[in-house]
Amino acid sequence: MQMSILKTRAERGRRHIAAGFTLIELVITIAIVAILLAVALPNFHDFVIHSTVNSTANDLVGALNTARAEAVKRGRPVAVIANGGNWNTGWQVVVAKETAPGVIEAVPTSPGPAEADCKGYIDNAVDGANTTPLCPRYQVALPATYTINAVGTGAGAVATRVVFGLTGALSPANTSFDFSVLLPVVNANPLWSRWVSVSPRGTVTNRRNVTLSPAGT
């Protein structure tokens, strides 16, 4: 009988333990989760911002390298042009068009700011003998609050386009180009922004810290 009573009490104790958290344990758990979130969320926010800037800079570098390679491959000038004259609204890689049989544009011109304009841009509309696409790459607008500053240096340089000549060097000769890919103003930090530069030879570099960038901070 005594053994049965002890077993009953033990079973009740086990059921009590298995019933769940006590109120104190629940409050402590919530407090720990709140502390962890308070620490983690700002770091995650910074991570997202830095990742966006880095991916934007990488997309820009990819477009510049594509333009340079296309210029050498096709034997024509190729440009990276700001959509609608504004780098913040994206950019397009445009190959110089054959305006008449054997006549190539000296400087590539944008077919229009929209992606549809870019996709529909083909070569030699004069005789219809060629339907080669002339806009091999198109980039949409930057996320809101992110910005790009751009500046061309040297005689003939234009701030809204970067032109590569047949050898892969910049055109006009002896020009260079710089971009500052910037964090949102509320998170402004030149040390974490990206500086993309194109040398007169056409070499593209991408580095962190825009403090010394000619395009500014």
Side-chain angles (χ1 to χ4, degrees):
M1 181 68 176
Q2 186 176 4
M3 186 65 101
S4 176
I5 292 172
L6 290 174
K7 285 178 65 177
T8 302
R9 288 177 179 173
E11 289 171 357
R12 287 177 182 173
R14 283 195 296 270
R15 285 200 296 270
H16 179 72
I17 292 171
F21 293 110
T22 65
L23 180 60
I24 294 176
E25 290 171 334
L26 184 60
V27 170
I28 292 173
T29 301
I30 292 173
I32 292 172
V33 171
I35 292 170
L36 292 175
L37 287 175
V39 173
L41 283 179
N43 292 334
F44 180 73
H45 180 64
D46 289 343
F47 172 78
V48 171
I49 291 173
H50 296 160
S51 295
T52 301
V53 168
N54 291 342
S55 64
T56 300
N58 290 337
D59 288 338
L60 181 57
V61 169
L64 292 164
N65 283 328
T66 295
R68 189 185 189 198
E70 289 289 321
V72 174
K73 181 177 73 175
R74 301 199 192 196
R76 305 182 181 194
V78 180
V80 181
I81 304 174
N83 292 336
N86 185 347
W87 293 104
N88 296 329
T89 59
W91 49 85
Q92 52 193 260
V93 175
V94 183
V95 182
K97 191 171 189 177
E98 185 179 15
T99 56
V103 180
I104 306 297
E105 289 178 318
V107 178
T109 55
S110 171
E115 187 171 9
D117 298 325
C118 208
K119 287 183 176 179
Y121 197 48
I122 58 176
D123 204 4
N124 200 355
V126 176
D127 61 12
N130 197 333
T131 57
T132 304
L134 291 178
C135 195
R137 190 159 180 163
Y138 183 91
Q139 179 68 36
V140 298
L142 274 61
T145 73
Y146 292 84
T147 56
I148 291 180
N149 290 347
V151 61
T153 305
V158 178
T160 56
R161 68 169 182 252
V162 185
V163 182
F164 294 87
L166 281 59
T167 64
L170 287 189
S171 178
N174 301 316
T175 57
S176 60
F177 214 95
D178 294 276
F179 297 89
S180 291
V181 184
L182 305 175
L183 279 69
V185 173
V186 293
N187 306 102
N189 185 343
L191 299 180
W192 286 97
S193 298
R194 304 296 302 192
W195 175 7
V196 177
S197 60
V198 189
S199 72
R201 296 179 60 183
T203 304
V204 182
T205 58
N206 177 14
R207 74 203 84 171
R208 194 170 64 186
N209 190 350
V210 298
T211 302
L212 300 179
S213 171
T217 60

